[in-house]
Amino acid sequence: MNRLVLGRTVHVIAVIVLMLIICARIAVLFVPQLWFDVDPAFDIEPLAGMNMAESLWLDVVLLIAAGIVLTLEGTLGRGLDLRLWLLAALPVPIVIWHGANDGLDLWRGMSWTSAAFAAVAVAHVARADFWRPVLIALLLGALLLPMARGVLQLTVEHDRTVAQFEAHRDEFFASRGWDPESSSALIYERRLRQAQPRGWFSTTNVLGSLLALCAVAGIGLSYAAERAKVSSGELGLLILMALAALGLLYFTGSKGAWLAMLVGFAWLTARYVAWAAPLRARGGTIVIAVLLLTLIGVVVRGTVLPEQFAGDKSLLFRWHYLNGTASMIADAPIAGVGPDDFQRAYIENRPPRSPEDPASAHNMIADWWASLGALGLAWVALVIIWLVQANRQDEDGEPDAAMPVRLRWWIAVLVLGGAGSISIIVDMRAAIEVVDIIVRQVAVGSAMVIAALLTPTIAKAWTNGGRYALGAGLLALVVHGLIEMTFFTHGAVAWALAMLAVTGRARDHGVRGVAAIAMGAAVVVLALYVVWTGARHATAQHRMIADAARMLTPNAVEQQTPDGPVQAFEPIVDAALLTARRDSSALLSDAYNAWPVYVEPLNDSARQLRLVTAPPDGTTPVGLLFDAAEISERAWTDHGDVASLMLLISIELQMAQQLEDPEFLRRAVGRMDVASSIDINGVDIFVRLGDFRWDLGEFDAAVAAYTTALTNNDNFELDELKQMPASARARLEHRIRQVSRGNTP
């Protein structure tokens, strides 16, 4: 086999791996860790998702595949686009700097980084008409996986999820330190009980972004395919995809996605009406103007229109997020707050009228700017470049040879079959019903067939308006990305950037030979860095976390039912559970020491000691409480993690109660002062602080805390669940009147 044949073979394999990982990411849930979401002593099932270590390994594979593709694109005669590579690379030092000190920053930051380099690789591959239709068909076909999951969530899965939550409601909230009647618990429960399709994303709005693109592009490609005189069967597949996306989008209830889709359809319509010819000639300028108008719309909603305008507060909340983000950028303009630290920073900077504490700015520009500083805007530039290129009124060059039928079928089977298999295997970690597996297998098979069949259809439609159809869909995607988390979440960002890159033809800047090899090798070296500093340590840590959870696994027993014997589980009890919790706590501390940039194992270690109860009185041994307090204090001191601080406060309150020693209450109050200085606009935090001061006889200080709580409570009127109940408000007002009248206890 000569070098050219070998190079092209490796190139095909690398592209397959690249697309497999991109497609798999929209069919998997990503969470930092799978265990201790609830107490494993009562719920033996881990979360059905990929943990931090596994996500990092996906990033590694994606980076290596991208590096190989770029190297071969630069050495097989086409040359590399230095501009795209530099824009992908500019934020990397900031990601590495944050990730070296915080595992969660590395986890989220590398998902963005690998997605950016993968998209740059896709942009180079998509220069060839040989590849572009295949890439588009694979990305559209992959959408069938979250769409099928969305249908399940609307039907059987939602009822199961609610039933499981109700069976472990108290344990679930206790594991998070939430009062079941607190605003955090009520808001979580409100969202849980909403039957909406989400796929594997954190919110239904992210799925809505992808569906909006699919609907616009699908309709546009259908029209272009009809003009290209394709067969009715080929045309029917495109129409079915578009209609399925439209139908599921209806059930998401995402008004932003509907608005973005309408923008996309409007721009698609302008492609074909005579009076819009001047607009088409300035396609790049028009799409940028639409993005600016979207941002202006958020500003107008927040500054001009009344808060209760049209009964919708979504855009108003986006204005709040942008306000808080502006303060973050002012505080950390160079390096940003960190890829996974937005929520912490927002709590410190949120406007008084904002009742929410989001994990994201719900805006692509704000997220990357606030998280990574000014260099984060390089990825925004990538998005804009590709969006403009997709909507310019110019034609593609001479087409290359069409991909052989057998090869495109093999690629569809390997990419989508592999992505679907990963999704099913990951979800089978938790209990999964047979109907779920069957539906997903059908979705995977359908995705493979549709992708293979759509490839020639897309190729025929491309020069008959197909590129403009996809450009209009991409406009809808990016518009929604300015008011949603589409470019923030692990699963969606790689798919979204890859879809943008498909039409963003990379230019040949003369970067070939040694220079191209160096650019590709740099991406591979980055992957090896992630392996050495993150992925291998995270893997060892998460194995230990899983072992610590299994120590608490309930005993399996056989129970007789009318349908025959079934396996059930009985919790470990009494002395055995005491020993198991202590051993689990020790192993969790060891897990933290294995990779001390991720604080949660340390928090879980302290929680396990708190849960240890010694019969017969059911109290926690005092010595273990001291150990738990020491662990939590270490977590708070080393990481400044607010969750660790709140856990430490609750432990010291427990110690004060069991030992009847007010000194521990004073310690808790002092720490609560620190917590309230972080969340100056919070409600619950000042109520608790006031209660502590009251119990210590510090009535004036208690009134000050209560007054702040009431003021903040009034500011949270935009979300009634964030406000305290009327009875709680009456209690605070009664105490304030007592002090003002001198009638203190």
Side-chain angles (χ1 to χ4, degrees):
M1 184 181 292
N2 61 44
R3 290 184 180 180
L4 181 60
V5 173
L6 177 62
R8 293 192 182 279
T9 301
V10 173
H11 181 271
V12 171
I13 294 172
V15 172
I16 289 173
V17 173
L18 189 79
M19 295 303 296
L20 191 158
I21 301 301
I22 290 171
C23 293
R25 277 194 170 274
I26 65 171
V28 173
L29 174 69
F30 291 92
V31 291
Q33 67 181 49
L34 307 180
W35 300 92
F36 295 97
D37 183 60
V38 294
D39 187 1
F42 297 96
D43 186 353
I44 64 171
E45 292 181 2
L47 291 173
M50 280 193 167
N51 62 33
M52 189 187 307
E54 292 164 333
S55 177
L56 289 173
W57 282 112
L58 282 188
D59 296 331
V60 168
V61 176
L62 200 54
L63 287 169
I64 291 174
I68 293 173
V69 168
L70 289 172
T71 298
L72 293 174
E73 285 284 332
T75 55
L76 294 179
R78 289 185 177 275
L80 297 186
D81 190 327
L82 180 62
R83 174 193 54 170
L84 297 183
W85 188 92
L86 286 174
L87 288 174
L90 279 173
V92 171
I94 305 299
V95 172
I96 291 174
W97 183 76
H98 282 295
N101 301 294
D102 190 305
L104 290 172
D105 281 339
L106 183 67
W107 171 63
R108 191 172 299 281
M110 287 314 304
S111 74
W112 296 343
T113 302
S114 63
F117 278 114
V120 169
V122 167
H124 284 81
V125 175
R127 291 180 296 192
D129 291 346
F130 180 85
W131 273 110
R132 188 191 305 111
V134 178
L135 300 179
I136 296 171
L138 289 172
L139 291 169
L140 289 177
L143 279 183
L144 284 179
L145 304 182
M147 288 169 70
R149 176 76 190 280
V151 172
L152 285 171
Q153 287 168 330
L154 284 172
T155 53
V156 296
E157 193 173 313
H158 178 257
D159 292 339
R160 288 203 307 264
T161 302
V162 172
Q164 184 180 27
F165 168 76
E166 290 176 342
H168 300 284
R169 184 175 185 271
D170 293 339
E171 295 96 329
F172 180 84
F173 289 143
S175 67
R176 283 167 165 71
W178 293 350
D179 184 322
E181 301 306 318
S182 67
S183 59
S184 298
L186 293 174
I187 290 171
Y188 177 88
E189 191 166 351
R190 174 178 63 184
R191 291 175 178 171
L192 179 79
R193 295 183 184 280
Q194 292 175 342
Q196 292 178 323
R198 296 187 310 277
W200 286 270
F201 306 116
S202 56
T203 72
T204 191
N205 291 320
V206 176
L207 178 60
S209 290
L210 277 55
L211 294 175
L213 179 147
C214 186
V216 174
I219 295 296
L221 286 169
S222 299
Y223 183 68
E226 194 275 333
R227 295 175 68 198
K229 308 300 182 184
V230 304
S231 69
S232 58
E234 293 176 287
L235 184 61
L237 279 178
L238 279 169
I239 294 174
L240 281 175
M241 281 283 293
L243 292 179
L246 274 170
L248 197 57
L249 183 59
Y250 170 80
F251 288 102
T252 65
S254 176
K255 287 172 281 191
W258 275 97
L259 179 62
M261 183 186 69
L262 292 176
V263 170
F265 275 130
W267 182 232
L268 179 63
T269 302
R271 168 70 177 86
Y272 297 105
V273 296
W275 59 263
L279 298 179
R280 295 195 295 272
R282 297 173 176 81
T285 303
I286 295 299
V287 296
I288 291 177
V290 171
L291 300 185
L292 291 174
L293 285 173
T294 303
L295 294 174
I296 292 171
V298 175
V299 174
V300 169
R301 177 64 183 93
T303 59
V304 177
L305 299 177
E307 286 186 335
Q308 302 298 331
F309 178 77
D312 181 70
K313 302 166 189 168
S314 297
L315 284 182
L316 177 62
F317 289 160
R318 271 48 174 184
W319 167 245
H320 292 161
Y321 304 162
L322 290 182
N323 268 275
T325 301
S327 298
M328 295 181 213
I329 293 171
D331 291 342
I334 305 300
V337 300
D340 202 67
D341 283 339
F342 183 93
Q343 188 172 56
R344 173 196 59 77
Y346 185 81
I347 290 174
E348 296 178 9
N349 292 279
R350 69 176 167 189
R353 295 287 291 173
S354 173
E356 300 197 332
D357 46 3
S360 157
H362 291 64
N363 178 291
M364 170 190 66
I365 301 171
D367 274 325
W368 286 336
W369 194 354
S371 299
L372 303 172
L375 291 179
L377 295 176
W379 290 341
V380 178
L382 271 180
V383 171
I384 293 175
I385 287 171
W386 287 331
L387 182 64
V388 168
Q389 286 182 343
N391 287 281
R392 278 181 178 162
Q393 192 174 19
D394 55 358
E395 297 297 332
D396 297 300
E398 291 297 321
D400 295 339
M403 180 174 287
V405 174
R406 182 176 297 180
L407 179 57
R408 74 167 185 259
W409 273 95
W410 271 112
I411 290 175
V413 169
L414 291 173
V415 170
L416 297 176
S421 298
I422 290 172
S423 174
I424 293 172
I425 291 170
V426 168
D427 279 3
M428 287 180 67
R429 288 172 169 171
I432 184 170
E433 300 293 331
V434 175
V435 65
D436 295 355
I437 298 177
I438 293 174
V439 169
R440 294 182 197 189
Q441 287 175 335
V442 171
V444 172
S446 301
M448 293 187 294
V449 172
I450 287 175
L453 293 178
L454 280 184
T455 297
T457 308
I458 293 172
K460 295 171 189 175
W462 194 253
T463 54
N464 286 275
R467 184 167 68 85
Y468 299 101
L470 190 56
L474 291 171
L475 178 60
L477 177 75
V478 177
V479 164
H480 202 224
L482 294 179
I483 56 174
E484 255 316 319
M485 300 169 63
T486 311
F487 291 86
F488 178 85
T489 57
H490 281 73
V493 62
W495 188 95
L497 288 178
M499 187 59 90
L500 279 157
V502 163
T503 58
R505 294 163 297 170
R507 298 174 180 175
D508 181 356
H509 284 178
V511 182
R512 295 181 175 85
V514 175
I517 293 173
M519 289 167 63
V523 180
V524 175
V525 169
L526 175 60
L528 297 178
Y529 170 84
V530 176
V531 172
W532 185 254
T533 62
R536 66 191 186 100
H537 297 300
T539 300
Q541 182 182 75
H542 284 280
R543 284 175 181 165
M544 297 170 76
I545 292 172
D547 289 341
R550 293 188 187 101
M551 289 178 175
L552 303 168
T553 299
N555 298 309
V557 297
E558 188 176 275
Q559 291 183 350
Q560 293 296 325
T561 69
D563 298 325
V566 296
Q567 189 180 55
F569 296 91
E570 292 182 350
I572 309 172
V573 295
D574 300 333
L577 183 56
L578 183 151
T579 301
R581 289 200 188 280
R582 292 175 63 179
D583 293 344
S584 178
S585 173
L587 186 54
L588 286 166
S589 291
D590 291 341
Y592 168 77
N593 293 330
W595 197 41
V597 296
Y598 178 48
V599 69
E600 198 55 30
L602 213 54
N603 290 334
D604 289 330
S605 175
R607 292 187 187 106
Q608 283 303 309
L609 292 181
R610 280 194 66 202
L611 293 171
V612 172
T613 56
D617 63 351
T619 60
T620 303
V622 174
L624 296 185
L625 281 178
F626 275 98
D627 291 342
E630 182 179 347
I631 291 170
S632 293
E633 187 153 21
R634 177 187 178 191
W636 163 243
T637 302
D638 291 353
H639 294 273
D641 179 54
V642 177
S644 302
L645 176 61
M646 300 307 296
L647 179 59
L648 177 57
I649 290 169
S650 64
I651 292 170
E652 289 180 335
L653 290 174
Q654 191 173 345
M655 293 168 74
Q657 183 179 16
Q658 285 190 210
L659 296 174
E660 298 181 352
D661 186 345
E663 178 57 31
F664 291 105
L665 179 58
R666 291 189 180 90
R667 288 187 192 179
V669 171
R671 299 188 194 279
M672 187 63 79
D673 278 330
V674 175
S676 64
S677 69
I678 296 172
D679 187 8
I680 60 173
N681 294 309
V683 174
D684 291 343
I685 191 112
F686 283 98
V687 172
R688 294 182 68 186
L689 178 60
D691 289 342
F692 296 161
R693 294 291 189 190
W694 189 274
D695 292 341
L696 288 172
E698 301 172 1
F699 302 116
D700 289 337
V703 165
Y706 288 150
T707 302
T708 301
L710 291 171
T711 299
N712 292 347
N713 183 73
D714 291 340
N715 285 333
F716 282 1
E717 65 180 329
L718 293 172
D719 187 346
E720 65 279 359
L721 288 187
K722 292 288 285 188
Q723 293 184 300
M724 66 182 78
S727 58
R729 182 184 183 95
R731 180 179 69 88
L732 267 56
E733 291 172 339
H734 174 69
R735 287 190 169 183
I736 292 173
R737 286 194 299 270
Q738 278 185 284
V739 173
S740 66
R741 296 169 182 171
N743 297 329
T744 54

